[in-house]
Amino acid sequence: MHPTQRPIQGITLKKVTITDVAQHAGVSVTTVSMVLGNKGRISPDTIEKVNHAVTALGYIRNRAAANLRSNSSEIIGLILKDISDPYYAQVAAGLCEETEKQGYMVFLTQSSDESQFEQCVLTMARQGVGGIAFCPANENQQVNVEALHAHNLPVVCISRASVNQHIDYVGPDNASAAKMATEHLINQGHRRIGYVGGKSSSLCRAERVGGYCSTLMQFGLPFKPEWVVECDAGQAPAASAVETLLANHPQVTAILCHYSSTAVGAVQGVHRLGRTVGSDNIFNKQIAIVGFDAVQDAELTEPPITFVNSDAREIGRQAARRLIEQFETSDPIARKVIVAPTMINANVS
């Protein structure tokens, strides 16, 4: 046993250093460093000696320091707006799946405002991450591109709406998703369609409302600003907003819902007025509901809600692929990767 490892009761053992490994193997510190970094031309016998010394002494390599020296890393940083949000949880799951396939680990943190975001970036850079994928703290966040590039790290922005044209971006096609949802309702015979949820400051909402509005115009249908209602995320605000919308505008027969929670809450709002959720609008009793970005809770509604889904897990996978791709190239041109929407439960409104 190496003297630095001799157990002495009540005394903390000395940390094994790269110098200890070199002495045990009978080689120079530089040689040990080259073997550990898989660099240079080292004979198989020398590599075996170093590896044997590492095992015998229990040497633990300082990965962060090695990353900084070699300008490479096995760690990818991920900054989420809200770890508890089901959408961002799916993004994280997809990113982790893809990075683990390619031999990387994820350093995850949360940032709910711009100042906290900058601190997260700085901390990750100091920890020697190889690149950073991030979700903006809000859709209007001004990303300091120069500050990000100053850390000499590949960066990918994951967002529900495009926020900056100068960095790589992975996200959904909100306008196409809204177009798909609106066409689905029109094909079912609906001509008076409302939109509930989100805030006017949301870029994601603006893109979706734009797709909804342009589709109505394409089919020669009315777009009524009073049928487009803001409300906070959550089932309770949605239930109240839908109840008010239908009470004031009973001619509305279908509603697009900005969040999955809005869609679930809309069901309760419809029921409060003695109406039901469904596709039969002949007698103006049933209201069709289509939501965006389905989550598991939405599966419990009766009847099941139709959703146009931008696969958050796939968005995470695509972000990981783009980030790893940046490790291997020096392409300075920012790329945009858009994940196409799909419709689920489309057989039932």
Side-chain angles (χ1 to χ4, degrees):
M1 180 179 290
H2 190 273
T4 60
Q5 287 192 302
R6 185 177 296 118
I8 302 176
Q9 188 173 2
I11 298 179
T12 302
L13 302 182
K14 177 184 175 183
K15 180 180 177 181
V16 177
T17 68
I18 193 171
T19 302
D20 297 328
V21 174
Q23 291 176 350
H24 192 282
V27 298
S28 68
V29 170
T30 300
T31 299
V32 173
S33 179
M34 292 173 68
V35 171
L36 295 177
N38 196 29
K39 295 181 178 181
R41 296 181 179 180
I42 308 296
S43 70
D45 288 344
T46 301
I47 293 174
E48 184 177 354
K49 286 180 182 179
V50 172
N51 288 334
H52 181 268
V54 167
T55 301
L57 301 180
Y59 175 71
I60 299 175
R61 186 184 180 197
N62 186 330
R63 289 282 184 185
N67 292 339
L68 290 171
R69 288 193 297 269
S70 63
N71 197 31
S72 65
S73 178
E74 297 172 348
I75 302 174
I76 286 175
L78 174 60
I79 305 174
L80 295 182
K81 174 183 176 180
D82 182 356
I83 294 173
S84 67
D85 186 300
Y87 179 85
Y88 293 116
Q90 288 296 307
V91 168
L95 187 138
C96 289
E97 285 174 5
E98 189 63 30
T99 53
E100 287 170 6
K101 281 182 188 177
Q102 302 198 41
Y104 294 86
M105 295 292 289
V106 175
F107 178 179
L108 172 63
T109 188
Q110 176 175 289
S111 167
S112 58
D113 59 56
E114 294 184 34
S115 61
Q116 190 176 18
F117 172 79
E118 293 178 1
Q119 183 59 47
C120 287
V121 171
L122 181 59
T123 299
M124 286 185 169
R126 287 172 174 169
Q127 292 300 316
V129 300
I132 295 175
F134 72 95
C135 300
N138 60 72
E139 292 173 354
N140 299 313
Q141 177 177 339
Q142 297 299 312
V143 180
N144 189 333
V145 178
E146 290 74 19
L148 290 173
H149 289 168
H151 295 296
N152 196 30
L153 292 172
V155 175
V156 172
C157 174
I158 305 171
S159 182
R160 288 180 170 176
S162 183
V163 294
N164 195 297
Q165 300 297 319
H166 303 292
I167 55 179
D168 281 60
Y169 165 79
V170 180
D173 188 338
N174 289 310
S176 292
K179 177 179 175 63
M180 181 182 293
T182 308
E183 284 189 0
H184 169 70
L185 292 171
I186 292 171
N187 290 336
Q188 288 191 326
H190 295 281
R191 297 296 181 264
R192 296 175 296 278
I193 303 169
Y195 190 105
V196 173
K199 295 293 187 179
S200 59
S201 58
S202 166
L203 295 177
C204 172
R205 183 179 185 271
E207 291 173 356
R208 287 178 180 168
V209 170
Y212 149 77
C213 177
S214 64
T215 306
L216 291 177
M217 295 174 64
Q218 176 187 340
F219 284 85
L221 298 178
F223 169 77
K224 303 285 188 180
E226 60 268 28
W227 295 355
V228 179
V229 180
E230 295 183 45
C231 74
D232 293 329
Q235 297 180 29
S240 297
V242 168
E243 181 183 10
T244 300
L245 171 66
L246 295 178
N248 293 335
H249 306 282
Q251 68 271 42
V252 171
T253 64
I255 301 172
L256 295 184
C257 296
H258 186 65
Y259 296 108
S260 56
S261 61
T262 307
V264 176
V267 175
Q268 181 62 34
V270 170
H271 289 166
R272 289 178 183 176
L273 293 173
R275 301 170 76 172
T276 58
V277 176
S279 58
D280 183 3
N281 66 332
I282 295 177
F283 299 105
N284 206 30
K285 289 291 185 182
Q286 289 196 325
I287 303 297
I289 293 175
V290 176
F292 295 98
D293 300 336
V295 295
Q296 288 183 340
D297 289 349
E299 298 173 359
L300 303 177
T301 61
E302 184 59 41
I305 298 171
T306 296
F307 278 93
V308 175
N309 197 41
S310 298
D311 191 340
R313 191 177 287 253
E314 180 60 22
I315 288 173
R317 293 191 197 100
Q318 292 288 349
R321 290 170 192 156
R322 179 55 191 151
L323 195 57
I324 294 170
E325 186 179 71
Q326 288 188 60
F327 295 166
E328 302 169 356
T329 66
S330 56
D331 184 0
I333 300 175
R335 304 293 179 184
K336 179 179 287 189
V337 179
I338 302 298
V339 175
T342 58
M343 185 165 281
I344 57 177
N345 292 333
N347 59 315
V348 183
S349 290

